Amino acid sequence: MIWQLALLQDWLNTMSDRKYRQRGYQDQPREREPKREKPASEPRAPGRPLQDASGPRTPNLMASHEVFRCARCGHRLALLVEAENRCPRCEVDLHSCIQCLSFDTSARFECSQTTLTARVAPKDERNACTLFAPRTTIERQTGTKGPTSARQAFDDLFK
């Protein structure tokens, strides 16, 4: 029993304050490097920061254009919409509520115009609403037009 007590006491004396004895960042004190001095900046007037001598850096912005697309099929159409026009692809009327800028399914009468007094139904057929404005979007021109022929595409590979 005494030898067990002596062994336990010896074990406690050799035990570290850490649970595991892997070497880590706390084992040796860090030697700090002296702080580097910043170069002295030139005094300047308070206010806006000055621009670089080469001028402002402008991002390469893509060209954009206004587009009117059919609400049913997404076909690109002319911006001017007349009362009799129809989509050439899906034959839906263009002077209708679903093509209008004010069309909003969550609004009263499904129209964001507050002057509307009665619901116009059906929404995809031609109507004589005086509040109609075509729903246009601004799209970015992300690509160039493709080659006109397979031969032109082949020739473009070696330019």
Side-chain angles (χ1 to χ4, degrees):
M1 175 90 165
I2 293 179
W3 64 272
Q4 289 175 344
L5 189 59
L7 186 64
L8 179 64
Q9 194 173 23
D10 186 42
W11 180 75
L12 287 174
N13 289 338
T14 61
M15 189 66 176
S16 173
D17 60 337
R18 291 178 199 75
K19 186 172 182 179
Y20 303 105
R21 275 306 301 162
Q22 287 108 0
R23 292 183 55 87
Y25 69 96
Q26 292 182 349
D27 284 343
Q28 296 176 2
R30 282 181 26 186
E31 295 178 16
R32 299 209 177 239
E33 295 178 12
K35 291 186 178 181
R36 297 179 189 165
E37 292 184 22
K38 296 180 182 178
S41 61
E42 298 176 8
R44 59 181 182 89
R48 265 184 44 190
L50 299 175
Q51 285 186 350
D52 191 15
S54 62
R57 296 180 185 156
T58 57
N60 296 330
L61 297 176
M62 293 179 275
S64 59
H65 59 282
E66 189 174 16
V67 175
F68 174 56
R69 292 188 178 271
C70 176
R72 289 290 163 142
C73 66
H75 184 67
R76 186 182 294 176
L77 302 162
L79 289 175
L80 298 174
V81 178
E82 296 180 15
E84 302 84 28
N85 287 4
R86 297 180 81 111
C87 176
R89 187 183 290 173
C90 65
E91 296 295 321
V92 72
D93 291 313
L94 295 181
H95 198 286
S96 60
C97 289
I98 60 169
Q99 310 287 352
C100 183
L101 180 66
S102 302
F103 181 66
D104 183 9
T105 56
S106 64
R108 182 176 181 226
F109 300 132
E110 294 182 335
C111 185
S112 61
Q113 297 289 335
T114 57
T115 58
L116 199 63
T117 57
R119 186 175 191 278
V120 177
K123 296 291 184 183
D124 59 348
E125 290 186 8
R126 182 180 301 138
N127 59 42
C129 182
T130 58
L131 304 172
F132 177 81
R135 180 183 306 199
T136 59
T137 56
I138 305 295
E139 292 184 358
R140 294 192 177 173
Q141 295 172 342
T142 56
T144 59
K145 292 187 178 183
T148 55
S149 66
R151 179 71 181 173
Q152 179 68 32
F154 181 75
D155 290 341
D156 288 344
L157 289 174
F158 302 103
K159 285 188 175 179

